[in-house]
Amino acid sequence: MSADADLTVLRAGEIAIEGRMPYSSNGTFLVRLDHDGANELAIYKPVRGERPLWDFPSGLARREAAAYELSAALDWAVVPPTVLRDGPHGEGSVQRFVDADFSEHYFTLREDETHDAAFRRLCAFDLVANSADRKGGHCLIDADGHIWAIDNGLSFHQEFKVRTVIWDYAGERLPDEMAADLQALVDRGLPDTLAELLDPFERDAVLTRAGALLRGGAFPHD
């Protein structure tokens, strides 16, 4: 399905819970959405299922949706379509399920150089989004060979908190096309669909981080 079709189903589909996802620290459910003949699996993370964190404000579901909006604004397609909506357990994020080979992760996929362009985009994305929990298992490859980044709730903090496994590109020059995408974001500002999910300090911090990456001109070291 196209991203627009995905978003329509995610926003308007009737949600039926299939079961709870194992090994999740917060309430995370596999759900099925039905809308106008379309049927799709998704991951639903209700706000009420979030465990409080001492170093991160509440609202992880909002940040899951914001990560998709940033990915879309940059036209990088690194985050599966995700929306913030009401569900069986209240408001939460609903993200298209990635039917992936779950034996694969960043450290196995990184061995194939054909994925370098995708991982460079994800590396830059995580710096701009301030991803504070990028584990190897959060990088999935679908049947079409596309790399997706999931579990983006710990992101967009106004303070710099990047924690990631992706440091392989440190010191490399930022590719021209990625720099152009980031410059366009800085020049036009955040789209309303992203800005409305963040508070004013978080909005400013996104553009500040993008500008810093552009001025540096290269992927930073840890």
Side-chain angles (χ1 to χ4, degrees):
M1 298 179 70
S2 68
D4 287 342
D6 273 330
L7 290 170
T8 297
V9 176
L10 292 173
R11 289 176 179 138
E14 182 178 351
I15 297 178
I17 293 180
E18 297 282 315
R20 186 162 181 173
M21 298 297 288
Y23 316 119
S24 298
S25 56
N26 296 313
T28 303
F29 300 89
L30 179 67
V31 300
R32 188 172 296 278
L33 296 104
D34 288 294
H35 177 69
D36 197 22
N39 185 279
E40 186 170 335
L41 288 174
I43 297 296
Y44 166 50
K45 297 182 179 181
V47 173
R48 64 190 291 187
E50 297 175 5
R51 294 195 306 173
L53 299 170
W54 69 269
D55 63 342
F56 227 93
S58 61
L60 304 189
R62 176 169 53 84
R63 291 176 167 80
E64 291 275 8
Y68 168 71
E69 293 295 343
L70 177 60
S71 170
L74 291 165
D75 197 24
W76 285 358
V78 294
V79 177
T82 311
V83 302
L84 187 69
R85 58 163 288 183
D86 194 27
H89 296 301
E91 185 179 62
S93 63
V94 180
Q95 181 177 89
R96 189 191 70 197
F97 178 75
V98 179
D99 189 7
D101 178 354
F102 295 104
S103 68
E104 297 274 25
H105 48 78
Y106 174 72
F107 297 103
T108 61
L109 296 167
R110 177 68 181 86
E111 295 175 1
D112 185 345
E113 293 182 355
T114 62
H115 299 315
D116 276 350
F119 281 131
R120 285 189 179 94
R121 281 193 297 272
L122 180 54
C123 180
F125 173 86
D126 282 343
L127 291 165
V128 176
N130 201 10
S131 299
D133 188 35
R134 179 63 67 217
K135 297 183 176 71
H138 295 170
C139 302
L140 305 181
I141 186 168
D142 67 15
D144 296 324
H146 190 96
I147 303 292
W148 297 102
I150 63 167
D151 283 347
N152 299 293
L154 291 180
S155 54
F156 296 103
H157 200 290
Q158 66 193 55
E159 299 174 8
F160 193 66
K161 287 179 176 284
V162 166
R163 292 191 292 268
T164 176
V165 298
I166 306 177
W167 292 106
D168 301 76
Y169 307 104
E172 288 188 13
R173 184 173 176 272
L174 196 66
D176 290 342
E177 64 273 16
M178 290 173 54
D181 292 337
L182 289 167
Q183 188 64 61
L185 180 73
V186 171
D187 290 344
R188 67 176 178 261
L190 304 185
D192 291 342
T193 52
L194 174 55
E196 67 187 11
L197 293 166
L198 305 175
D199 71 30
F201 295 100
E202 292 166 344
R203 294 173 207 151
D204 287 348
V206 171
L207 296 176
T208 296
R209 290 188 297 267
L213 185 56
L214 283 167
R215 288 190 296 276
F219 294 102
H221 290 271
D222 187 2

